[in-house]
Amino acid sequence: MLTVVCPSCQANLRVRPELAGRAGKCPKCGAIVHVPALEPEAEAERRVENGRSDGDSDAGNEFPDIEPTDRLVRDYHYLVVDRKGLVATWENNGQGWMIRSGTTFVRAVRNADKLPGQGDFKLVELQLTKTEEGSHRLKGLAVYQLAPRYALTRIERGEDAILQAVRGPAPLSKEQKTAVFAYIREKFMRPIWEDHAALVDYLTNLDYHSPGISLHTHPFVT
């Protein structure tokens, strides 16, 4: 079995070797987890050792024997950023993906001609959770590198199709952090995000690089 770490909740997950190079949903928190591709020799060796347990893995956290996730988590918000800033947004509000057009955003499905065919794009997952009182809180953030070609044009096939372009975890640049934090402040009321000091520190500390941040993983949170 392979062992991968969820970039959101840091759970150690046992994954079947045949899922190498694909993306699946973490059974603990629902975040997207990318399984790195293996060299043929390494994969063959793993198959031989398939019956041996991985000592550091969390028992019962194996990916299910189904196709990797092909749906965005409906309680989350998703952003696509490039080197300059925000390119596209997704909220579970019936509008689907919104693509940047000049100084505004328009529905991607009605403006397919505005979808760039290539570029250095990253998918940002803003992870929200509901409290016992029924209000929402921002619990974490994960960043994924997208394929350099045809990542955004996949949106034409459906709002979830962009997940097929995920290539692995990635850090945010200074400009991208600024764009993400501006989106958070514009879209969410302060009580939703201000208590997550680790996330705010990550987005405002432009010299700190990480593929994600959560209350469970930040070294300064106990």
Side-chain angles (χ1 to χ4, degrees):
M1 302 295 286
L2 305 180
T3 300
V4 295
V5 179
C6 173
S8 174
C9 68
Q10 296 297 292
N12 291 308
L13 308 174
R14 292 184 292 112
V15 185
R16 291 179 291 110
E18 52 265 35
L19 290 179
R22 305 175 73 179
K25 182 181 292 185
C26 175
K28 277 196 168 184
C29 69
I32 302 170
V33 181
H34 182 78
V35 184
L38 294 178
E39 295 295 330
E41 296 81 2
E43 182 171 351
E45 182 178 347
R46 279 289 187 173
R47 288 179 183 274
V48 171
E49 298 179 351
N50 189 43
R52 198 171 69 190
S53 63
D54 292 294
D56 295 332
S57 297
D58 293 340
N61 281 349
E62 183 178 347
F63 279 156
D65 293 329
I66 58 176
E67 289 297 309
T69 181
D70 58 356
R71 286 175 59 82
L72 302 171
V73 180
R74 265 40 193 176
D75 289 336
Y76 294 175
H77 284 223
Y78 291 85
L79 314 175
V80 174
V81 294
D82 63 7
R83 295 179 180 179
K84 296 181 180 179
L86 198 59
V87 175
T89 66
W90 182 90
E91 305 167 23
N92 190 20
N93 58 6
Q95 295 293 312
W97 280 98
M98 305 293 289
I99 191 78
R100 184 178 64 198
S101 177
T103 59
T104 187
F105 283 79
V106 296
R107 294 188 65 182
V109 293
R110 296 181 179 177
N111 296 271
D113 59 309
K114 300 184 185 300
L115 295 172
Q118 59 184 5
D120 183 11
F121 300 116
K122 295 173 184 177
L123 179 68
V124 180
E125 181 179 70
L126 299 178
Q127 302 161 353
L128 294 159
T129 187
K130 185 174 290 187
T131 67
E132 294 181 357
E133 294 77 19
S135 59
H136 284 86
R137 291 290 185 273
L138 190 59
K139 68 174 182 178
L141 173 151
V143 186
Y144 306 94
Q145 184 69 50
L146 295 177
R149 301 184 64 186
Y150 310 124
L152 294 189
T153 56
R154 294 172 186 264
I155 294 174
E156 293 184 74
R157 309 176 195 171
E159 57 188 25
D160 300 303
I162 195 170
L163 296 180
Q164 300 168 8
V166 169
R167 292 296 177 264
L172 289 174
S173 69
K174 297 178 181 180
E175 294 79 11
Q176 291 165 346
K177 285 184 178 182
T178 300
V180 171
F181 195 36
Y183 173 89
I184 290 174
R185 287 180 294 176
E186 178 183 349
K187 287 292 181 178
F188 304 128
M189 297 178 64
R190 288 186 66 90
I192 294 179
W193 56 266
E194 67 178 352
D195 290 338
H196 198 330
L199 187 144
V200 174
D201 179 63
Y202 167 69
L203 292 176
T204 55
N205 183 350
L206 302 184
D207 293 322
Y208 179 57
H209 300 284
S210 168
I213 191 77
S214 78
L215 283 174
H216 304 288
T217 64
H218 196 277
F220 303 112
V221 177
T222 58

